[in-house]
Amino acid sequence: MNIHTYEKLWLVGAMLLIVGFIATVTYGAVGVGVTMIDDSEETIDPTQLDEDERFSEPRVEQVGENEYDVYVVARQFMFQPDPIEVPAGSDVTFYVTSADVIHSFSVAGTNVNTMVIPGEVSTMTVEFDEPGEYGIVCNEYCGSGHHAMEAMLIVQPEDEFELEEGEN
Ligand SMILES: [Cu+2]
């Protein structure tokens, strides 16, 4: 059987496109570290955050030499604590939960961006290289004050950072 040269070229082109699409989708799904908020962690009661060990006092906690845990509560229409202060060059793990409805926790200018679902704890670890002030916004519509729901993340230069005890 004789296949016309153009026919062959189009066939090869179409195959390459298909392989390219599959590679792109696969990379997007597994290659860039995007994960889902899932039920692998125990769920918590959003109405009982006052009694929760981690979230009754939203805070920054030092857990290792260059490791910090940040417990954040999102609620209509604020984030706690505000501001959040962490040092540059450390591993910062955010644990974020909601006290009421679905919010998001998005740090402008970085790739920190997660949904915040009541009952679930969104977890992500980041290292901030650049000291500076970053805006935190909610990008899930959460009610009448949604547009004003914001906070500040302050990344301090490593040698200037001091954890203020009991700060909220
Ligand atoms: Cu919100």
Side-chain angles (χ1 to χ4, degrees), residues 13-77:
M15 303 269 198
L16 286 177
L17 266 182
I18 290 169
V19 171
F21 287 149
I22 293 174
T24 309
V25 171
T26 308
Y27 176 72
V30 298
V32 287
V34 176
T35 56
M36 300 298 287
I37 305 164
D38 59 14
D39 292 326
S40 60
E41 193 173 352
E42 243 175 80
T43 54
I44 60 175
D45 184 348
T47 63
Q48 301 293 317
L49 295 185
D50 288 350
E51 271 130 61
D52 190 275
E53 219 177 273
R54 295 180 294 177
F55 295 105
S56 58
E57 271 178 57
R59 63 193 180 275
V60 180
E61 213 175 270
Q62 183 161 18
V63 289
E65 202 187 330
N66 282 308
E67 279 172 58
Y68 294 83
D69 282 352
V70 185
Y71 299 103
V72 182
V73 174
R75 63 173 78 233
Q76 288 168 320
F77 298 97

Side-chain angles (χ1 to χ4, degrees), residues 74-141:
R75 63 173 78 233
Q76 288 168 320
F77 298 97
M78 63 171 102
F79 296 96
Q80 299 162 301
D82 179 20
I84 298 171
E85 294 184 42
V86 296
S90 290
D91 281 335
V92 177
T93 303
F94 292 97
Y95 298 89
V96 193
T97 196
S98 167
D100 37 47
V101 301
I102 293 179
H103 297 282
S104 96
F105 178 82
S106 308
V107 183
T110 72
N111 62 355
V112 178
N113 183 13
T114 182
M115 273 180 103
V116 182
I117 301 172
E120 306 276 352
V121 179
S122 311
T123 308
M124 76 228 103
T125 300
V126 217
E127 187 184 324
F128 297 99
D129 299 323
E130 293 296 323
E133 296 188 355
Y134 300 81
I136 300 170
V137 291
C138 173
N139 63 23
E140 292 285 343
Y141 181 73

